[in-house]
Amino acid sequence: MNDEFNTIQKFDAGSGQVGFFHSLPALEKQGIGPVSRLPISIRIVLESVLRNCDGKKVRRRDVETLANWKAKKPASEEIPFVVARIVLQDFTGVPLVVDLAAMRSAVKRLGGDPKIIEPLVPVDLVVDHSVQVDFFGSAQALRLNLDMEFKRNRERYEFLKWGQQAFKTFQLIPPGIGIVHQVNLEYLAKGVLSQKSKTGNKDSEIFYPDTLVGTDSHTTMINGLGVVGWGVGGIEAEAGMLGQPVYFLTPEVVGVHLTGQLREGVTATDLVLHVTQMLRAQKVVGKFVEFYGVGAASLPVPERATIGNMSPEYGATMGFFPVDKESVAYLRATGRSEQQCVAFENYFRAQEMFGMPGKGEIDYSVDLELNLADVQPGVAGPKRPQDRINLPALGETFRSLLQKPVKDGGYGIKDIDLGAKHLVQLNGSPPNDGDMPSTDKAESAIEPGEERNKAEMITNRPTPDTAKELSDSTADPFRHGQSRIGHGSVLIAAITSCTNTSNPSVMLAAGLLAKKAVERGLRVDPAVKTSLAPGSRVVTDYLDKTGLQKYLDQLGFNLVGYGCTTCIGNSGPLHPKIEKAINEYDLVAASVLSGNRNFEARVHQNIKANFLMSPPLVVAFALAGRVDVDLTNEPIGKDKDGKKTFLRDVWPSLKEVRDAMQTALRPEIFRKLYRDFADQNPKWNEIPSRTGEVYQWDEKSDYIHEPPFFANFSMKAGGIEEIRGGRALGIFGDSVTTDHISPAGAIKPTSPAGQYLVSRGIKPEDFNSYGSRRGNDLVMTRGTFANVRIKNLMVPGTEALPFTSRAESECRSLTRRCVMRERKCRSSFWPAMNMAPVRRAIGRRRERACWACEPWSRPASNGFIDLTWSGWVYYLCSFLRGRTRKRSNSTAQKRSPLPVCPNR
């Protein structure tokens, strides 16, 4: 056991057990640094650095530097953070399991024991990104959507089942259980972990904080429980799986001092939208945010988790709440064992990190103030989560945005007739093949000045809308009736996302509002696509037990699945006649959702205005049927007697919500629902699974393919050579995102990936999506930079990434050129580079760009070197581990030099 600073001490771990831990107070007593003044989040990271200090991957200097963290000017040093565990969702998790399988195959070829390839920390993968709202508004919606999900993803699920039995430290949560972050909060997180060790010559058990990284940006939801964790790219997660540190620059920590309490009628969603607007304005990108004070102490864990969840939206690495009595109470309420709860509390008390800090007790880089009583009911949108609107101002704001110029964030509509409504007959029949508007459009109807990410949102939904699949189904995916729609009509109303469905208070409020609405005879217009997709089956249990689900059902909010659904763009198709009316009359229609992101075209390619709000407000706006309304003064509809009904008439009181919570939540329900997952999901049991320690690769598969990283692998370490004579493949402007580098959505038939699949005999309607085929490097290398609107500045006036070379007169797609380089680089080393200035790619898919440069030699690091060159410039470099021949000087002289960046 490492104990470089002699800090190991004992504490009471509960039930008479003596636990050992690396004491931070003991470190401070040695004069190493003012540890007790450090933010709690920094202390938890420091504990990991201290515990893993071995003089190699973590040095003594790393401990000393972090222990002396300077609030106003943190050291410009990387922190080697060894996390306790990893969480994955299925789209980003499959490639990591593919890599592990490839490593085992390589070890077997070398004559070794494949079982030596095993994650060194626990890894949990939750399948939550694949379900889509194809069917809604009926009691059969859950079953039908689950059937469709398994039909689309059967081959991927077969592979994941192999991984489940092959790796001891790999746990898989199958489809139909919940969303990764809510499952993490309610089940996976323990607060404090332990492992067997030796202290002196005696057996002992070392305890340490629960920490993690995840391959999804909203991993930060767990910060609400006092657990340090955030989202990373696949390469960082894979390094963490193999016991390597996750490196990050020493951050600033922004303290947010919370005072007061939320007022009657204000929800946790209203609070998080207020916080998002406030912190975006404070520019907290790349920083830790730590909430503290009596106001923070008054918030229960679900409300803290809602705030932590939206850290990516306000730009912070984390939105952290320290551990206190509420944290322990939450563990008990969600069915964790009493011993686990006692160990959690006693450990943090021993570390002097228990309890919510008060004003002046901690040194922060910046200290902000927020009185919870100042928070007002509101929504955010229609294009960005930080654009909060007070509820009374929504109607006026929306009407002004309709005519406001596009460059100013509006829609630029002239001579608008707000009263115009267009009749739509909804016959409810499934569409014929070809009737469903495609998400795979060469032209994305983007006007000059519109937001640059609109095209990527249109094509980047993980599960494409497939008309053929719906037409093959005997079930009816649409409602019958007729409607009149116009600007501001609500066409999607979704109670979705772990951001809000993890919070019983807002979910029960939605149910109570639905009950009052149904009792008054209110109904939802048939044009509104309604859905309820909670992040946990616990939600279904308490909505059923309180008798509220039946009222939600009567308004069309039937259960459609347990997964991300509308929040990540899996909203499914609208009725073709609705889509036709939107396009024919150029309507700015709206969606209302309890999600976390609302970029234009993210929710649905034809829905331009998207508003984030609390679940009860989602129900209210579904009833109102429009967003150009002030619900504080205008009615949401008429009751069965023809009388006007206002929001205040159906809004539940805080007492009603609390009474419902008292009867709904029981620890035994969490224990019951979070066990024996396979037995609770018969469809998962129907999936066949290969067995054995080594995966049997199938060359006929176009979903799972053995990556070439370990082809001709040698035990002799290669070297990293200087980059000389580099050839630029692409130079890009601002705001290149992960969705430009590696799309998750629809595959265009004309794209390199589409042409490859066609060559394999796959029809375009069976392409599925890039996200579903991430386990196949042959598809993903061809999908790199496959965004229809990305612009290569080397070829002015073109889009969709043409490539040019001074040695070749014609233009080719960048991805095609990258695949060509695979052959050429085997005999000569031409380093490949892509460049972009400010706001470069940040996210969990950025390593795909490395594959494009060397699709047969994935680097050990993420391949990004940040330089200052009239802004940020990144290289997507080739790190060829000793498998290429060094170019001769004569060859170098023949190659054209690097093109000059226009911004140089």
Side-chain angles (χ1 to χ4, degrees), residues 660-900:
M661 289 182 67
Q662 292 297 323
T663 62
L665 296 173
R666 293 287 184 271
E668 57 269 20
I669 298 303
F670 288 86
R671 298 189 190 105
K672 174 185 175 182
L673 295 178
Y674 281 113
R675 69 183 183 195
D676 304 325
F677 297 121
D679 294 339
Q680 298 181 44
N681 192 336
K683 291 198 70 66
W684 183 252
N685 296 331
E686 295 171 6
I687 296 287
S689 172
R690 299 178 183 182
T691 59
E693 299 165 356
V694 179
Y695 186 71
Q696 301 302 311
W697 304 97
D698 182 0
E699 286 300 317
K700 295 180 181 179
S701 173
D702 291 296
Y703 281 91
I704 306 297
H705 181 265
E706 182 177 11
F709 313 138
F710 301 101
N712 304 316
F713 185 80
S714 171
M715 295 303 293
K716 182 180 178 181
I720 298 177
E721 300 178 359
E722 292 182 351
I723 299 175
R724 294 181 179 275
R727 306 290 299 279
L729 291 175
I731 300 175
F732 308 111
D734 293 355
S735 301
V736 175
T737 72
T738 57
D739 295 314
H740 292 106
I741 294 173
S742 181
I747 302 173
K748 284 171 54 64
T750 55
S751 69
Q755 291 174 354
Y756 169 75
L757 292 174
V758 169
S759 74
R760 299 275 293 177
I762 299 173
K763 297 178 181 179
E765 59 263 29
D766 296 321
F767 280 0
N768 210 323
S769 63
Y770 282 111
S772 68
R773 294 187 184 270
R774 279 188 185 158
N776 187 335
D777 61 289
L778 298 176
V779 173
M780 295 311 295
T781 51
R782 290 167 170 83
T784 307
F785 291 101
N787 186 290
V788 296
R789 292 293 180 184
I790 193 170
K791 298 179 180 179
N792 185 355
L793 300 181
M794 295 172 63
V795 191
T798 62
E799 293 179 320
L801 258 186
F803 162 85
T804 187
S805 169
R806 295 182 183 181
E808 301 175 58
S809 59
E810 75 275 17
C811 291
R812 294 191 176 95
S813 73
L814 178 61
T815 47
R816 178 183 175 191
R817 179 60 178 162
C818 293
V819 173
M820 290 168 59
R821 288 200 64 255
E822 176 179 354
R823 306 185 185 96
K824 293 190 177 183
C825 287
R826 294 184 188 275
S827 58
S828 64
F829 182 13
W830 295 2
M833 291 166 280
N834 289 287
M835 304 177 187
V838 296
R839 297 190 294 278
R840 67 224 184 271
I842 296 175
R844 58 188 183 275
R845 295 191 295 274
R846 58 184 178 266
E847 62 272 13
R848 289 291 178 189
C850 303
W851 286 26
C853 291
E854 289 305 334
W856 51 275
S857 179
R858 186 177 179 183
S861 67
N862 68 18
F864 279 68
I865 302 175
D866 286 340
L867 303 174
T868 300
W869 203 35
S870 186
W872 286 101
V873 179
Y874 64 78
Y875 280 86
L876 308 179
C877 306
S878 311
F879 292 102
L880 309 182
R881 300 190 304 173
R883 287 197 290 276
T884 58
R885 190 168 68 241
K886 189 174 182 179
R887 295 193 300 108
S888 66
N889 290 333
S890 60
T891 304
Q893 292 173 358
K894 294 178 183 178
R895 306 301 181 199
S896 57
L898 178 69
V900 176

Side-chain angles (χ1 to χ4, degrees), residues 536-737:
S536 164
R537 295 174 301 163
V538 173
V539 177
T540 300
D541 182 85
Y542 65 67
L543 287 176
D544 283 338
K545 282 186 175 177
T546 54
L548 297 176
Q549 183 61 58
K550 63 182 180 182
Y551 298 106
L552 288 165
D553 290 347
Q554 290 181 58
L555 295 182
F557 288 94
N558 300 79
L559 181 65
V560 297
Y562 298 98
C564 302
T565 60
T566 303
C567 187
I568 59 168
N570 281 356
S571 56
L574 295 176
H575 195 288
K577 292 184 179 180
I578 291 178
E579 299 225 23
K580 180 181 178 182
I582 293 173
N583 292 318
E584 182 176 345
Y585 299 107
D586 193 22
L587 299 179
V588 179
S591 74
V592 293
L593 66 153
S594 60
N596 47 52
R597 288 182 182 170
N598 57 342
F599 307 120
E600 187 169 349
R602 177 184 174 93
V603 172
H604 189 278
Q605 74 268 23
N606 284 323
I607 301 294
K608 296 180 180 180
N610 304 284
F611 293 94
L612 307 179
M613 59 186 65
S614 65
L617 279 182
V618 169
V619 178
F621 276 98
L623 290 164
R626 59 195 182 101
V627 294
D628 57 331
V629 60
D630 171 11
L631 286 188
T632 61
N633 291 303
E634 298 178 57
I636 61 173
K638 294 183 178 181
D639 65 16
K640 54 192 173 185
D641 297 323
K643 295 180 180 179
K644 294 180 180 180
T645 299
F646 294 85
L647 180 62
R648 57 181 174 269
D649 298 325
V650 293
W651 191 266
S653 68
L654 185 58
K655 182 180 183 302
E656 289 175 310
V657 173
R658 287 175 174 170
D659 289 345
M661 289 182 67
Q662 292 297 323
T663 62
L665 296 173
R666 293 287 184 271
E668 57 269 20
I669 298 303
F670 288 86
R671 298 189 190 105
K672 174 185 175 182
L673 295 178
Y674 281 113
R675 69 183 183 195
D676 304 325
F677 297 121
D679 294 339
Q680 298 181 44
N681 192 336
K683 291 198 70 66
W684 183 252
N685 296 331
E686 295 171 6
I687 296 287
S689 172
R690 299 178 183 182
T691 59
E693 299 165 356
V694 179
Y695 186 71
Q696 301 302 311
W697 304 97
D698 182 0
E699 286 300 317
K700 295 180 181 179
S701 173
D702 291 296
Y703 281 91
I704 306 297
H705 181 265
E706 182 177 11
F709 313 138
F710 301 101
N712 304 316
F713 185 80
S714 171
M715 295 303 293
K716 182 180 178 181
I720 298 177
E721 300 178 359
E722 292 182 351
I723 299 175
R724 294 181 179 275
R727 306 290 299 279
L729 291 175
I731 300 175
F732 308 111
D734 293 355
S735 301
V736 175
T737 72

Side-chain angles (χ1 to χ4, degrees), residues 333-407:
T334 50
R336 272 72 162 202
S337 70
E338 182 61 23
Q339 183 170 349
Q340 181 70 48
C341 296
V342 171
F344 180 41
E345 179 173 348
N346 289 356
Y347 174 85
F348 276 86
R349 287 189 183 279
Q351 288 282 30
E352 298 180 6
M353 293 191 295
F354 188 83
M356 194 63 67
K359 187 74 171 179
E361 295 177 10
I362 302 289
D363 295 329
Y364 292 110
S365 305
V366 177
D367 214 347
L368 306 177
E369 295 283 340
L370 173 59
N371 187 339
L372 298 180
D374 293 337
V375 178
Q376 300 181 48
V379 304
K383 300 181 181 182
R384 301 188 307 176
Q386 66 264 37
D387 295 334
R388 195 185 68 83
I389 306 168
N390 285 335
L391 189 59
L394 176 58
E396 181 182 350
T397 301
F398 179 77
R399 288 188 289 270
S400 67
L401 286 172
L402 286 176
Q403 301 180 68
K404 197 173 185 179
V406 172
K407 64 181 179 63

